[in-house]
Amino acid sequence: MGSNGFYPLFETRRAKGRAIYRLFAASVLLGICLIWVYRVRHIPRNGRWGWFGLLGAELWFGFYWILTQAHRWNRAYRHTFKDRLSQRYGKDMPGVDIFVCTADPVLEPPLMVINTVLSVMAYDYPSEKLSVYLSDDGGSDVTYYALLEASQFAKHWLPYCKKFRVEPRSPAAYFISRDAPLDANQAKELVVIKKLYAEMENRIENAAKIGRIPEEVRLKHKQFSQWDSYSSRRDHDTILQILIDGRDPNATDEDGIVLPTLVYLAREKRPQHHHNFKAGAMNALIRVSSKISTGPIILNVDCDMYSNNSHSVRDALCFFMDEENGHEIAFVQFPQNYENITKNEIYSSSMRVIAEVEFHGLDGYGGPLYVGSGCFHRRDTLCGRKFSKGYKGDWSTSANERKREESVHELEEKLKGLASCTYDKNTQWGQEMGLLYGCPVEDVITGLSIQCRGWKSVYFNPSRKAFLGVVPATLPEVLVQHKRWSEGDLQILLSKYSPAWFAHGKISLGLQMGYCVYCLWAPNSLAVLYYSVIPSLYLLKGIPLFPQISSPWFLPFAYVIIVMHIYGLAEFLWSGGTILGWWNDQRMWLYKRTSSYLFAVIDTILKLLGFTDSGFIISAKVADQDVSQRYEKDIMEFGISSPMVTILSTVALLNLFCLIGVVKEAFLGEGIMRVYKTVTLQSVLCGLLVLINLPLYQALFLRKDKGKIQSSLAMIAGLPKFAAIVLLVLLSTLQVVFGIRFVIDREECFSHDVKYEGDTVHVSFVVIKVDGAWHYAQDGVDLVVKGPTGDQVHDFRDKTSEKFEFVAHHKGLHRFCFANKSPYHETIDFDIHVSHFTYYDPHAKDEHFNPLLEQISKLEEALYNIQFEQHWLEAQTERQAIVNDGMSKRAVHKAFFESAALIGASILQVYLLRRLFERKLGTSRV
């Protein structure tokens, strides 16, 4: 029992095993720190720019991992006591307004929309306390017609649900999922209710198919006259219709029970006015509902998220109405769950780790994010109210229970102005009141602003899922959806509501870190893309970027990689997933960070520079039969190529070529043991990237169905652009030319192994400087080049610089001997590059791949030659700078000594003249 004499309506439990997890996290942090130390202390001469890039990526990964600990450090789990709620309040329950939002009758079919509406109308809650509002941003008369049909079907459906306590209460979902045996009475009524539903379904689908309402229906229902002035979905008047009036005693079901209020709203749209997407629709609903029902609790659900648990309203009220802590809770967020998730989750769309782990972690620090659907709000908080310790919720009766003087028609006409396209202008709506404008994820930024006003939120994840929706069935749709989410979260980070600075001191540090994890989804793309490309390119050249397997520094890398993936697998399995589902999750982790998040970063930068504006893309909720069948079989659907798929394909092919190159080198070149000892981690990384991309390779080369990657202008145009970026990175980072700078006293000799007869050897040297302050001569050095058989290839005398090439007639060690005949030490920059065109003629020729490999090899050699020339020019430039600097110093020294000599001579002349005059004066006196 609480301090106020009441038993609590909910309890909070902390996760078990927190101490063990914290020890594990500390050990991982130690391993990450050792990796950072290794990078800083072992900077190589060759490949240093790639090394610095990996250091930057690993610093980012380590920092981001530290942020993610906010999701796991202090997890909280909630449990409600609905029986106490019923005993304590009985019929004195608050009114609940339910908002259902739809925007496109094609992507969001009307039949799906009304199933969601019917499911929330049938909640196990006093129906006179419920008011359901459908916001149709598509302004579709077909959607309105479907809702009109649903209002009639509800008279039969609601009594059936309450009589037999059915779950779920979406008719379509119930008819499919019902498998328990029924008694004779229920079986009989089920036949009747299924027939009524089938007739309604047939009428709605026919109207949706022809795209208009039958004429006899229009003549029967005068409400359709509101569409007479309708021009398009972006140009129409406000359409407001109260289909079921909760105050009307005649609005009852077949059992005589009052039906919930049911309202249709299509807010005014004009092409010249920005409508602010879902945030604008929600704000219009808040204003209109405040004059019709005024429920102190608001639930908003997406049109594809039907209610799967009829007790969810009572669960939420256990938090709001708790006498001890309920007054500080602004919203209760239920997880988003989906009914069309396959067993192994090919697109990892369930986000089960977020639902089962991460949001519980946020709940331990003051509450989860508001994620746009399945969320119960306190109306006061949505209207901009700040939290105060003395605040108590007002659970007084809603407007449905107060008599209104005006008729339904008068009320509708009166309230249309609240949904006009200009109502928000010069008001606080969208800034301090309602959902905030200007962000693709208006839900997250709104929840953050509410929490910054002092309120808390609660995450409740019941055993029976509260809401079930549908996820996209194709990869491009999933990537576009995640682009919108990550772009919106990044915009929040850069906005005035940023959790990094605006929320500082207003919410807990753990909650700040939790928000930043999602806000930094998009920047993750840069580090992941770098890690996916550069190590593979360096692997192709045999340049190691990780410690050798025999080095002690290999252990931190191995420990962090292994234990983090083992922990991730265990966490995924604990959350209800499968091993293959976890592997698919790793693939989607890579795909989202190398495509969706990368485009989100680019679009955010363009928006900040004023080149583009944010948009809102609706995900398709239906798929054709072929796509659905492939999705159910866990076959990845690529379809028509898009820029995102182009990037994924390019990176995947690059890693495949690099892996083929290193395998070829292992068997035909240096040998397996050298690859094993020097580039083990790079080989494993490249191999895993190839393995994870197997579905993509199948879609590129093997599949024949429509789900394969289709050739298109986007693919043709996108590949060269992305390849150009990769080549620029390659040109700026690879250091494949052998080069050395040394100081020569008398003679120095070097050897270089030319592996293939007929290779072209490029050589250059530059005498950078001479260690003699007063050495003015332009003395050079001698260079003698000899082949493996001792034959002399070249002989240069007294050269300060030279660049030449020769063809090696024999493979083996070539000697390069420098001789210095001057008495001074000289510093020499010496470079060697061997051009070798690698091309093997396989037994099974491929007319497509062989020319491609040939061109890649030629391009590779061109890059090496460019780098060789670059080294030569850099050395010449440095030499000239040193010569110029030396000449300047010598000129200054010469001027100084000349001035000193002149001054000395002048002093001597004065002294001698004075002595001369003194002698003459003495002679005169005598």
Side-chain angles (χ1 to χ4, degrees):
M1 184 176 293
S3 59
N4 53 15
F6 293 100
Y7 285 104
L9 296 180
F10 71 91
E11 68 175 359
T12 302
R13 301 170 183 169
R14 300 294 174 180
K16 298 179 180 179
R18 287 181 295 162
I20 296 176
Y21 174 79
R22 291 174 180 180
L23 287 174
F24 162 76
S27 69
V28 173
L29 180 60
L30 177 61
I32 292 172
C33 292
L34 289 175
I35 291 173
W36 293 344
V37 171
Y38 169 77
R39 287 287 177 208
V40 173
R41 293 185 58 185
H42 295 78
I43 301 173
R45 176 174 175 80
N46 288 335
R48 64 172 56 191
W49 291 113
W51 189 277
F52 288 143
L54 287 186
L55 172 60
E58 287 158 358
L59 286 170
W60 172 264
F61 289 145
F63 166 73
Y64 190 79
W65 178 84
I66 292 171
L67 290 181
T68 62
Q69 297 316 295
H71 293 158
R72 294 163 175 81
W73 203 256
N74 192 33
R75 286 179 290 147
Y77 295 85
R78 312 282 187 172
H79 178 72
T80 59
F81 302 103
K82 294 185 287 293
D83 53 339
R84 296 178 186 176
L85 178 74
S86 300
Q87 293 171 4
R88 194 170 304 168
Y89 291 98
K91 295 184 178 181
D92 296 329
M93 295 288 190
V96 178
D97 292 347
I98 303 175
F99 298 165
V100 181
C101 296
T102 184
D104 191 314
V106 177
L107 297 178
E108 299 168 335
L111 194 62
M112 178 187 69
V113 175
I114 66 161
N115 270 280
T116 298
V117 169
L118 288 168
S119 71
V120 296
M121 289 179 70
Y123 269 128
D124 181 18
Y125 197 74
S127 56
E128 69 275 7
K129 305 282 187 179
L130 290 175
S131 299
V132 180
Y133 296 79
L134 175 64
S135 171
D136 179 18
D137 257 12
S140 169
D141 55 351
V142 176
T143 301
Y144 174 75
Y145 172 64
L147 190 65
L148 183 64
E149 287 285 350
S151 68
Q152 299 301 314
F153 179 72
K155 297 178 181 180
H156 309 280
W157 176 245
L158 269 61
Y160 177 83
C161 290
K162 293 176 182 178
K163 181 177 181 179
F164 298 107
R165 298 181 179 179
V166 303
E167 295 285 4
R169 297 193 174 182
S170 161
Y174 171 69
F175 296 146
I176 294 174
S177 64
R178 185 194 53 75
D179 54 3
L182 305 177
D183 57 43
N185 186 31
Q186 185 176 357
K188 182 179 178 180
E189 292 198 30
L190 177 63
V191 173
V192 175
I193 202 72
K194 287 184 72 172
K195 181 181 178 181
L196 291 173
Y197 179 79
E199 292 172 350
M200 177 189 69
E201 180 182 33
N202 186 55
R203 291 192 293 271
I204 293 173
E205 288 188 340
N206 286 338
K209 186 176 181 179
I210 63 177
R212 58 184 176 83
I213 309 303
E215 194 61 31
E216 62 273 14
V217 176
R218 282 186 172 275
L219 294 174
K220 182 180 178 180
H221 299 280
K222 63 179 182 180
Q223 298 95 329
F224 287 103
S225 63
Q226 296 181 84
W227 274 267
D228 292 343
S229 61
Y230 181 89
S231 299
S232 70
R233 56 184 295 185
R234 289 184 172 84
D235 189 7
H236 60 81
D237 297 329
T238 298
I239 303 174
L240 175 63
Q241 185 65 44
I242 301 176
L243 288 86
I244 300 177
D245 184 6
R247 66 175 183 165
D248 184 359
N250 297 319
T252 60
D253 60 27
E254 61 182 9
D255 288 347
I257 305 299
V258 175
L259 289 168
T261 296
L262 183 62
V263 180
Y264 173 90
L265 174 65
R267 59 196 172 112
E268 182 187 14
K269 292 281 191 67
R270 299 300 176 200
Q272 63 271 28
H273 294 284
H274 188 59
H275 58 272
N276 294 304
F277 310 111
K278 184 179 176 181
M282 284 284 292
N283 289 346
L285 287 174
I286 294 171
R287 294 192 295 266
V288 170
S289 66
S290 67
K291 301 298 182 182
I292 298 177
S293 52
T294 327
I297 301 297
I298 293 175
L299 163 66
N300 85 279
V301 293
D302 288 341
C303 62
D304 64 322
M305 278 276 178
Y306 68 83
S307 170
N308 187 58
N309 186 342
S310 62
H311 303 289
S312 298
V313 175
R314 296 180 183 271
D315 280 322
L317 291 178
C318 285
F319 295 103
F320 288 117
M321 303 181 74
D322 181 76
E323 290 79 4
E324 185 74 23
N325 299 308
H327 65 285
E328 62 184 7
I329 296 173
F331 59 88
V332 179
Q333 178 66 64
F334 286 77
Q336 290 190 358
N337 300 107
Y338 307 95
E339 65 173 348
N340 65 329
I341 296 294
T342 59
K343 179 181 178 181
N344 295 314
E345 307 174 46
I346 189 66
Y347 302 123
S348 189
S349 296
S350 69
M351 297 182 286
R352 62 175 66 252
V353 173
I354 292 178
E356 301 296 333
V357 177
E358 295 185 2
F359 268 34
H360 286 288
L362 293 177
D363 201 12
Y365 285 111
L369 289 67
Y370 165 38
V371 294
S373 182
C375 188
F376 289 83
H377 294 268
R378 194 185 294 269
R379 180 182 286 268
D380 287 350
T381 61
L382 283 180
C383 291
R385 180 161 189 161
K386 293 183 178 181
F387 174 73
S388 60
K389 292 184 178 180
Y391 172 82
K392 295 294 181 182
D394 182 11
W395 309 122
S396 59
T397 56
S398 66
N400 280 347
E401 299 178 6
R402 298 195 297 268
K403 293 183 179 181
R404 295 191 296 263
E405 299 297 330
E406 64 267 77
S407 65
V408 169
H409 179 70
E410 291 173 339
L411 183 62
E412 290 169 351
E413 293 300 318
K414 178 181 176 181
L415 299 182
K416 285 183 178 180
L418 297 177
S420 69
C421 59
T422 58
Y423 186 90
D424 291 342
K425 287 194 172 182
N426 301 319
T427 69
Q428 293 300 308
W429 285 97
Q431 301 178 38
E432 299 295 334
M433 298 176 64
L435 273 71
L436 303 189
Y437 296 155
C439 182
V441 285
E442 68 290 318
D443 40 17
V444 176
I445 195 172
T446 298
L448 176 60
S449 67
I450 289 173
Q451 291 170 331
C452 288
R453 293 200 295 267
W455 297 94
K456 293 182 179 180
S457 60
V458 164
Y459 181 64
F460 186 58
N461 189 6
S463 55
R464 180 176 181 85
K465 304 306 180 184
F467 302 95
L468 288 178
V470 295
V471 296
T474 69
L475 179 64
E477 289 175 357
V478 173
L479 296 179
V480 168
Q481 187 180 62
H482 277 271
K483 174 190 173 294
R484 180 174 68 84
W485 291 345
S486 59
E487 181 180 350
D489 288 336
L490 181 58
Q491 289 181 18
I492 293 174
L493 182 68
L494 302 177
S495 73
K496 70 175 184 178
Y497 292 100
S498 172
W501 47 81
F502 176 81
H504 182 67
K506 299 177 182 178
I507 60 177
S508 66
L509 177 61
L511 191 55
Q512 269 187 277
M513 293 169 62
Y515 267 103
C516 288
V517 169
Y518 302 116
C519 290
L520 291 172
W521 266 358
N524 259 326
S525 62
L526 304 177
V528 174
L529 188 61
Y530 191 92
Y531 234 90
S532 302
V533 172
I534 299 303
S536 297
L537 291 175
Y538 276 81
L539 175 65
L540 191 63
K541 297 301 139 195
I543 301 176
L545 294 177
F546 296 93
Q548 295 184 11
I549 196 168
S550 59
S551 169
W553 290 105
F554 180 84
L555 296 178
F557 284 90
Y559 177 77
V560 171
I561 293 171
I562 293 173
V563 301
M564 286 296 294
H565 281 84
I566 291 175
Y567 172 79
L569 174 60
E571 192 175 65
F572 193 87
L573 295 177
W574 180 84
S575 300
T578 64
I579 294 178
L580 188 54
W582 173 80
W583 179 248
N584 291 333
D585 184 68
Q586 304 308 299
R587 179 184 301 111
M588 289 306 302
W589 181 94
L590 176 68
Y591 283 5
K592 288 181 290 188
R593 281 157 181 78
T594 53
S595 61
S596 302
Y597 297 172
L598 178 63
F599 276 83
V601 170
I602 294 172
D603 281 0
T604 300
I605 294 173
L606 293 177
K607 181 178 183 295
L608 291 175
L609 296 176
F611 293 111
T612 62
D613 199 0
S614 298
F616 190 94
I617 300 174
I618 302 170
S619 300
K621 306 303 190 298
V622 291
D624 62 43
Q625 187 174 0
D626 290 342
V627 172
S628 298
Q629 289 177 353
R630 287 192 289 270
Y631 174 71
E632 290 170 2
K633 296 177 181 178
D634 279 332
I635 299 175
M636 189 164 279
E637 186 81 15
F638 292 91
I640 297 175
S641 295
S642 68
M644 294 188 194
V645 175
T646 299
I647 287 182
L648 295 180
S649 303
T650 306
V651 174
L653 289 175
L654 186 147
N655 280 284
L656 179 61
F657 287 137
C658 291
L659 184 64
I660 292 173
V662 76
V663 170
K664 179 202 71 176
E665 183 68 18
F667 287 97
L668 302 177
E670 295 290 337
I672 297 176
M673 288 308 298
R674 179 183 176 278
V675 173
Y676 170 74
K677 291 179 180 179
T678 58
V679 288
T680 304
L681 277 179
Q682 278 168 266
S683 302
V684 171
L685 175 60
C686 187
L688 286 175
L689 289 171
V690 170
L691 187 61
I692 212 168
N693 278 306
L694 286 180
L696 195 147
Y697 301 135
Q698 292 174 349
L700 276 171
F701 307 120
L702 302 178
R703 287 171 56 178
K704 302 299 182 181
D705 56 62
K706 293 182 179 179
K708 68 177 182 178
I709 296 178
Q710 305 288 343
S711 299
S712 69
L713 291 177
M715 190 72 173
I716 295 171
L719 272 172
K721 291 180 181 178
F722 191 73
I725 295 173
V726 173
L727 290 176
L728 285 175
V729 173
L730 175 66
L731 183 60
S732 62
T733 58
L734 285 181
Q735 296 184 6
V736 295
V737 176
F738 169 78
I740 188 172
R741 181 168 295 184
F742 62 95
V743 177
I744 183 173
D745 181 12
R746 288 288 176 266
E747 185 177 8
E748 291 287 346
C749 290
F750 301 93
S751 297
H752 190 78
D753 187 16
V754 178
K755 298 179 182 178
Y756 302 97
E757 183 179 325
D759 283 356
T760 301
V761 182
H762 303 266
V763 183
S764 71
F765 67 91
V766 179
V767 178
I768 298 294
K769 64 179 180 177
V770 179
D771 295 337
W774 297 99
H775 181 64
Y776 297 100
Q778 293 292 325
D779 292 342
V781 293
D782 299 341
L783 171 61
V784 177
V785 182
K786 292 185 178 181
T789 59
D791 56 314
Q792 184 170 299
V793 178
H794 276 290
D795 185 4
F796 297 98
R797 300 293 173 179
D798 296 326
K799 295 288 186 179
T800 56
S801 67
E802 189 63 54
K803 179 164 65 73
F804 62 97
E805 63 183 48
F806 63 91
V807 175
H809 298 292
H810 303 280
K811 66 178 181 179
L813 291 178
H814 285 64
R815 288 178 60 81
F816 302 82
C817 292
F818 290 89
N820 178 17
K821 294 181 292 185
S822 72
Y824 308 103
H825 289 79
E826 296 184 333
T827 301
I828 300 175
D829 190 276
F830 176 45
D831 290 301
I832 298 177
H833 164 55
V834 180
S835 295
H836 175 68
F837 176 63
T838 305
Y839 182 67
Y840 295 95
D841 189 15
H843 295 291
K845 288 189 176 181
D846 191 303
E847 61 180 351
H848 298 293
F849 278 98
N850 289 349
L852 180 61
L853 293 172
E854 180 179 351
Q855 293 301 319
I856 289 174
S857 295
K858 290 181 178 178
L859 179 59
E860 181 182 52
E861 282 304 317
L863 290 174
Y864 295 160
N865 290 331
I866 291 172
Q867 191 178 19
F868 179 79
E869 294 285 344
Q870 183 182 7
H871 283 192
W872 160 259
L873 292 174
E874 286 176 353
Q876 290 280 37
T877 302
E878 186 175 354
R879 167 184 167 78
Q880 193 60 44
I882 294 173
V883 170
N884 291 341
D885 184 58
M887 291 179 65
S888 299
K889 290 181 178 178
R890 286 193 292 270
V892 171
H893 293 164
K894 181 179 178 182
F896 173 77
F897 286 120
E898 287 178 349
S899 300
L902 288 173
I903 293 172
S906 300
I907 295 173
L908 181 60
Q909 285 179 341
V910 172
Y911 173 74
L912 293 175
L913 288 171
R914 183 177 179 181
R915 290 294 302 270
L916 179 61
F917 281 111
E918 286 178 351
R919 287 184 179 180
K920 287 184 177 181
L921 182 61
T923 305
S924 299
R925 288 176 180 173
V926 174

